[in-house]
Amino acid sequence: MATRLQSSLRLVARQTGATLARTSVWNRPVAWATRAAFSTNAPHLFAAPHGKVAFTADKYPHMRRNNVFKKLSEEDVTYFKSILAPSSITQASDDLETFNIDWLNKYRGQSKLVLKPSSTEQVSKILKYCNDHKLAVVPQGGNTGLVGGGVPVFDEIVVSMSNMNTIRTFDNVSGALVCDAGCILEVLDKYLEERGYLMPLDLGAKGSCHIGGNVSTNAGGLRLLRYGSLHGTVLGLEVVLPDGTILDNLSTLRKDNTGYDLKQLFIGAEGTLGMVTGVSILAPKRPKAINVALLGVDTFDQVQAAYKRSKNELSEILSAFEFWDRAAIKLVKEHLVAGANDPLESLHNFYVLIETSGSNKDHDDEKLNTYLEGLMGDEIVQDGVVAQDTTQIQNLWAIREGIPEACSKAGAVYKYDISMPVPVLYQAVEDMRARLVQSDAFGDGKLFTSVIGYGHVGDGNLHLNVAAENFTAEATALIEPYIFEWTAGHSGSISAEHGLGISKNNFLHYSKSASMIELMKQFKKMLDPNGIMNPYKYLPDK
Ligand code: FAD
Ligand code: MLT
Ligand code: ZN
């Protein structure tokens, strides 16, 4: 099939008078490096030595511990020892570091206790005790969050879901999967693969993140374009409220209009309203035919043109449309093995990764073929390759999925995850770059070393990353609140998919009205009157 695709493209190139160089692009066997693709299995794979990460409390001195919260005592630990196995309690300072420091090495809490319950009943007992004694709690999944939400700020107790990782049921007719919240996303996907299904979400952190963390952040990722958000695919949740009440809403029904849809409140609540302990999610059938193409493009207008056409011409088989810029590929090449897998001969201003997923390979190949011929004939793309097998598909994805890690290797990374109308998507990157140049703060030896843009074009979601030498107040002041004002001024959201955590909570007013924020505070007060769940985050404290 791949041969047919190539020869057909070659034919069109001749017909349209495209140059030999461009013709050969599609025909060129992809020169893949033999090394293993990038894997995200270890959340702290590239973390700086922990000692170098400053405590959040020192870095942000305006933050004050809320003295309503009790400090942990020996008595408290004795209670937890009475309900959990010794191996489910972590107190040794070296072991605590992993739970206290976030993936970006930006935030560092000072928790003295990590609890790892292995049942919903244990979670219930923990939260009830903490609520009764006003002990603050941070729920933690795979700790891959990018807004500092999953790590403590002060001495909150970390409740890690890593021991709750059982798949409870799977319905091979409907595709409803019910599992513990601590199941790792990739493990679930592998389980479903064996049964002909797949998880409706996919992210670069799949090897570490938990489904409970995904639900709690309402993670978007690489398949949202096709399967929609978790607000649609989650069928039910089991949640433990701060007072220990177990809310059993683990429905597997697709339709259920009986009362308020309570689960929606916990999707994206970032652990501020309770702990998600179980998830029921609708898995789609695994597509039989998958194609991935990587394109090199000159301008963002051309990226948009390619996207518009993909909606028309690939329509129902289009499953991902991702882009990244020259700064992103440079970092991937510099820092990651995946960079050696770049099959395009020269550097381009923009890259587009298109994935199609369908049930009929011949049909999909033909559609993709026609689409690519059109792009090439109309000179919308300058270069490109189509993966010829599963390994090549994985290697192309590894370039895209490696960008967050490559960025983090470039220094201290300020991450902005904004959504807005696609036509202005890249302008945010250009305007930020221009601002930093104008301020004489960009380039070698300056405050900022790189401004990178990538993201999910199909979702109108830009990841603007600004790499600095260090996280400093001076650097922060140059880019915040500028970027939030810019986003609000372009009818965008200041957090498309990563959430608010501690890094965006005080900027919520750029995306939500005062009355909406007030109602959110009322929900919080109703469900968590003592405020023990993930304090200092999510809702504005100013
Ligand atoms: P954590 O980081 O542990 O926690 C995140 C938040 O959820 C915290 O506020 C925590 O308190 C809360 N929480 C966790 N578990 C529970 C629970 N069981 N009950 C209640 N609250 C809980 N995000 C995207 O949206 N799209 C992407 O494409 C994407 N790609 C990524 C790629 C990389 C390489 C990395 C490092 C991160 C990426 N992320 C992405 C961000 C991150 O992976 C997601 O936010 C993910 O959903 C977090 O899951 P986690 O289990 O690691 O949660
Ligand atoms: C991604 O799309 O790669 C993720 O959201 C992570 C990131 O923004 O770095
Ligand atoms: Zn993303």
Side-chain angles (χ1 to χ4, degrees):
M1 194 49 52
T3 320
R4 261 185 44 208
L5 186 68
Q6 288 169 0
S7 55
S8 153
L9 281 164
R10 215 166 45 233
L11 184 68
V12 165
R14 264 202 308 274
Q15 283 166 348
T16 56
T19 65
L20 189 64
R22 189 171 298 136
T23 306
S24 64
V25 155
W26 304 101
N27 197 30
R28 166 161 38 92
V30 183
W32 302 104
T34 49
R35 284 170 284 177
F38 163 67
S39 150
T40 54
N41 283 356
H44 289 91
L45 203 62
F46 54 89
H50 289 152
K52 287 191 185 160
V53 183
F55 288 122
T56 306
D58 294 339
K59 212 181 319 186
Y60 304 97
H62 69 275
M63 300 199 68
R64 296 265 181 278
R65 184 184 182 280
N66 184 344
N67 286 326
V68 162
F69 298 132
K70 178 180 177 294
K71 289 202 170 160
L72 187 72
S73 68
E74 265 317 306
E75 243 184 314
D76 302 324
V77 178
T78 306
Y79 173 75
F80 295 126
K81 283 183 176 165
S82 78
I83 58 166
L84 297 176
S87 60
S88 300
I89 299 181
T90 301
Q91 283 184 286
S93 53
D94 277 358
D95 300 340
L96 289 169
E97 288 300 57
T98 310
F99 300 90
N100 269 319
I101 300 176
D102 78 318
W103 192 85
L104 286 166
N105 279 329
K106 187 173 183 185
Y107 300 104
R108 184 178 183 188
Q110 302 172 57
S111 180
K112 298 280 178 283
L113 183 68
V114 176
L115 303 175
K116 298 180 192 162
S118 43
S119 70
T120 304
E121 288 67 33
Q122 286 182 350
V123 175
S124 166
K125 283 183 183 157
I126 291 169
L127 290 194
K128 181 171 175 13
Y129 182 89
C130 290
N131 193 45
D132 289 347
H133 295 82
K134 296 202 171 56
L135 285 160
V137 165
V138 176
Q140 193 175 94
N143 196 9
T144 66
L146 299 172
V147 289
V151 291
V153 179
F154 296 100
D155 57 348
E156 301 88 273
I157 296 172
V158 175
V159 180
S160 162
M161 294 303 282
S162 54
N163 281 348
M164 285 193 64
N165 48 24
T166 303
I167 293 173
R168 301 190 192 177
T169 59
F170 177 62
D171 179 340
N172 204 6
V173 177
S174 68
L177 173 82
V178 182
C179 63
D180 285 354
C183 290
I184 289 175
L185 179 60
E186 192 171 46
V187 171
L188 294 176
D189 195 55
K190 288 259 179 315
Y191 171 90
L192 289 173
E193 184 176 14
E194 287 162 17
R195 289 155 183 82
Y197 285 82
L198 94 163
M199 284 300 279
L201 79 158
D202 184 23
L203 14 152
K206 56 181 154 274
S208 303
C209 63
H210 295 182
I211 187 65
N214 300 149
V215 166
S216 301
T217 54
N218 187 26
L222 309 162
R223 286 183 191 151
L224 187 135
L225 172 72
R226 176 64 163 270
Y227 300 110
S229 97
L230 288 168
H231 281 293
T233 51
V234 169
L235 298 173
L237 292 179
E238 177 186 81
V239 178
V240 178
L241 299 180
D243 68 359
T245 304
I246 299 173
L247 206 67
D248 180 0
N249 181 212
L250 267 184
S251 168
T252 54
L253 302 173
R254 287 202 75 171
K255 290 180 138 184
D256 177 12
N257 273 354
T258 50
Y260 299 118
D261 192 356
L262 296 178
K263 68 174 181 292
Q264 298 298 349
L265 209 50
F266 299 92
I267 300 175
E270 298 181 41
T272 58
L273 300 179
M275 290 213 53
V276 176
T277 49
V279 176
S280 168
I281 191 164
L282 189 64
K285 282 298 279 185
R286 206 167 193 93
K288 293 195 184 90
I290 295 186
N291 284 315
V292 172
L294 176 69
L295 314 176
V297 184
D298 270 350
T299 67
F300 193 70
D301 279 348
Q302 290 172 332
V303 172
Q304 289 183 70
Y307 174 55
K308 258 171 82 179
R309 278 201 190 193
S310 74
K311 288 207 291 184
N312 279 338
E313 297 178 23
L314 301 174
S315 43
E316 83 287 354
I317 60 165
L318 181 67
S319 53
F321 196 105
E322 298 285 314
F323 97 101
W324 57 96
D325 66 7
R326 182 185 279 255
I329 193 74
K330 278 170 99 171
L331 290 179
V332 174
K333 281 175 181 288
E334 204 176 313
H335 296 294
L336 299 184
V337 168
N341 286 332
D342 175 11
L344 301 189
E345 270 163 1
S346 51
L347 275 183
H348 295 270
N349 290 337
F350 295 97
Y351 294 77
V352 166
L353 185 151
I354 296 175
E355 185 191 75
T356 65
S357 312
S359 58
N360 183 322
K361 179 96 175 104
D362 287 352
H363 165 267
D364 295 4
D365 285 356
E366 198 180 321
K367 270 190 139 174
L368 181 64
N369 194 2
T370 308
Y371 166 72
L372 294 174
E373 283 170 7
L375 291 186
M376 195 166 72
D378 292 346
E379 307 201 347
I380 290 171
V381 304
Q382 277 63 53
D383 196 358
V385 289
V386 180
Q388 306 294 302
D389 56 33
T390 312
T391 308
Q392 293 189 354
I393 287 177
Q394 282 168 356
N395 285 348
L396 287 183
W397 268 118
I399 298 172
R400 165 62 185 91
E401 292 182 21
I403 297 171
E405 179 174 9
C407 289
S408 68
K409 288 195 166 175
V413 195
Y414 288 88
K415 291 184 93 72
Y416 302 100
D417 157 46
I418 51 187
S419 60
M420 68 200 96
V422 177
V424 292
L425 205 68
Y426 199 71
Q427 203 185 313
V429 181
E430 287 165 342
D431 288 358
M432 177 62 86
R433 242 182 234 136
R435 177 180 169 84
L436 298 182
V437 169
Q438 235 169 32
S439 312
D440 195 26
F442 186 63
D444 281 349
K446 302 275 165 65
L447 267 184
F448 296 98
T449 52
S450 206
V451 178
I452 307 120
Y454 56 99
H456 318 286
V457 178
D459 312 333
N461 182 184
L462 171 76
H463 295 309
L464 166 63
N465 284 225
V466 191
E469 288 295 337
N470 289 300
F471 294 116
T472 61
E474 191 191 0
T476 310
L478 265 177
I479 48 183
E480 296 178 11
Y482 165 79
I483 185 59
F484 303 119
E485 282 164 5
W486 192 101
T487 305
H490 290 82
S491 315
S493 164
I494 63 151
S495 179
E497 58 172 8
H498 294 166
L500 298 162
I502 190 178
S503 57
K504 311 280 155 63
N505 60 332
N506 284 322
F507 302 105
L508 184 56
H509 63 278
Y510 285 103
S511 290
K512 291 289 181 287
S513 66
S515 49
M516 290 174 94
I517 295 174
E518 189 44 44
L519 191 58
M520 289 183 199
K521 286 182 174 169
Q522 285 174 27
F523 278 126
K524 167 78 177 170
K525 192 130 199 86
M526 182 181 73
L527 291 174
D528 183 19
N530 292 328
I532 61 158
M533 296 305 300
N534 221 356
Y536 319 109
K537 299 169 188 155
Y538 198 72
L539 291 170
D541 57 23
K542 286 181 187 158

